[in-house]
Amino acid sequence: MTGLLDQFDIDDPHLPKAIKDQALTSGDYPYKDKLGKHEYEEHMHRLQVHLVRLQAHMAKHGDRIVILFEGRDAAGKGGAIKAYVQNLNPRYNTVVALPKPNDRERTQWYFQRYVDWLPAAGEAALFDRSWYNRAGVERVMGFATPEEVALFLEEAPEFEKRIVKDGIHLFKFWLSIGREMQLKRFHDRRHDPLKTWKLSPMDIEALGKWHQYSDARNEMLRRTDTLHAPWTVIRANDKRRARLAVIQTVLERLDYDGKDVNDIGAIDPRIRMNASDFLELKEVE
């Protein structure tokens, strides 16, 4: 891994060929080519029609949905959320991307500030990172103590059990990308003037902590993957396949007026998997 970073200079406008060539298949990704644009757009249109139907059903019956998007930096969380809400009413579909806690919030129960963003009847809340910050970036970057992380891993399943028991449909997505793909996306952000805002100093600092993030992710998945709130892992080197799989997963699990399984389509088992299967992958890192 050190050798890979030795080749990479984020300020050099030329991305090393080895990284570029290996990006899509990195992390043992099962496809050598991206999904075709036409096929993607046709399928996405059908799925978004179903999301509109789901939204109408939720408004009628008072259903509530929470969707968590977690993953490494540049895994595609924001893009997946944008695809989900693209044709939905923003009054009933809230994207939650909280900044770091302020001085007052740091003295509260850790989950407290997230409770305020849970949905009311007919609403969906999509979290672009969530309470799992504590098990990931806060742990790896030293913003939380080992004792705070241990307490979080103990409390998170109980917190989620209460959310689910209250009737909220909870989805937890981990978007997984390979090392070379992350470097390529960081490089794209650094040199595209429309994307530079996506690259933070913390992203750069985290470049050398790949294995620490892997270890934190693996323990998080093992400790918080439960029957009432399971993790769904989406292999996201190809953003198009990942976005389709995310929306398909939500539509597959819920009942709503006008649901058509043929429109939704079968979910690619090479792209979507449960946490235990993902952790058993030979090339997972």
Side-chain angles (χ1 to χ4, degrees):
M1 197 62 66
T2 302
L4 187 63
L5 284 181
D6 286 344
Q7 302 175 46
F8 182 72
D9 180 357
I10 198 166
D11 292 320
D12 186 339
H14 301 290
L15 181 67
K17 186 175 184 300
I19 294 175
K20 184 177 181 179
D21 290 347
Q22 296 172 32
L24 186 61
T25 57
S26 60
D28 201 32
Y29 191 73
Y31 290 99
K32 295 182 179 179
D33 298 294
K34 295 180 180 179
L35 183 67
K37 182 178 180 181
H38 180 70
E39 181 180 353
Y40 167 73
E41 290 179 344
E42 280 198 341
H43 197 174
M44 179 58 74
H45 177 76
R46 296 197 303 273
L47 295 180
Q48 289 178 338
V49 168
H50 277 266
L51 286 175
V52 172
R53 294 175 184 173
L54 173 61
Q55 176 181 253
H57 181 93
M58 292 171 60
K60 181 179 179 180
H61 297 281
D63 290 4
R64 293 169 291 161
I65 297 176
V66 168
I67 309 177
L68 311 185
F69 291 84
E70 294 289 345
R72 298 180 190 271
D73 295 321
K77 299 178 289 295
I81 292 172
K82 183 179 179 180
Y84 187 101
V85 302
Q86 183 175 355
N87 292 289
L88 299 181
N89 189 335
R91 291 181 61 185
Y92 304 111
N93 297 271
T94 302
V95 178
V96 184
L98 300 183
K100 65 181 182 180
N102 60 35
D103 290 343
R104 182 173 184 274
E105 289 170 333
R106 279 194 287 269
T107 69
Q108 296 174 339
W109 178 49
Y110 177 72
F111 295 93
Q112 188 167 333
R113 72 182 188 135
Y114 296 100
V115 172
D116 287 341
W117 293 94
L118 296 178
E123 296 178 352
L126 296 89
F127 285 82
D128 187 347
R129 297 198 181 277
S130 66
W131 44 88
Y132 282 101
N133 274 336
R134 175 133 296 178
V137 62
E138 291 187 20
R139 172 181 179 168
V140 174
M141 302 305 289
F143 300 144
T145 67
E147 293 76 17
E148 288 172 330
V149 173
L151 180 61
F152 169 83
L153 292 172
E154 177 184 332
E155 289 189 334
E158 293 300 320
F159 175 65
E160 291 165 2
K161 181 180 291 184
R162 281 150 182 76
I163 290 175
V164 173
K165 286 186 70 174
D166 198 56
I168 291 176
H169 301 286
L170 176 61
F171 296 84
K172 302 191 305 188
F173 290 106
W174 177 268
L175 304 187
S176 175
I177 56 172
R179 179 59 158 153
E180 287 85 350
M181 180 55 75
Q182 187 189 51
L183 293 176
K184 180 181 181 301
R185 291 180 182 176
F186 275 9
H187 189 269
D188 291 344
R189 291 177 177 186
R190 173 65 180 85
H191 297 282
D192 184 338
L194 298 180
K195 296 180 179 179
T196 52
W197 63 271
K198 294 184 176 183
L199 192 65
S200 71
M202 191 176 298
D203 293 335
I204 305 301
E205 187 178 349
L207 275 175
K209 298 181 181 293
W210 178 269
H211 290 301
Q212 292 96 315
Y213 272 102
S214 296
D215 292 342
R217 173 205 60 202
N218 293 350
E219 184 176 7
M220 180 194 77
L221 292 178
R222 291 190 185 101
R223 297 280 301 278
T224 63
D225 181 57
T226 61
L227 290 176
H228 59 271
W231 280 99
T232 299
V233 178
I234 304 292
R235 304 178 78 181
N237 280 2
D238 179 2
K239 296 179 181 180
R240 293 172 181 170
R241 288 187 172 94
R243 292 168 186 174
L244 294 176
V246 164
I247 298 175
Q248 285 178 294
T249 298
V250 174
L251 295 174
E252 176 193 62
R253 192 188 301 179
L254 300 176
D255 291 324
Y256 57 93
D257 300 329
K259 182 173 181 175
D260 185 333
V261 295
N262 292 321
D263 275 350
I264 296 170
I267 304 177
D268 189 337
R270 293 167 292 183
I271 297 300
R272 184 189 74 171
M273 59 188 63
N274 60 43
S276 58
D277 287 345
F278 174 74
L279 291 171
E280 290 177 2
L281 286 176
K282 187 184 304 183
E283 297 297 327
V284 69
E285 61 174 2

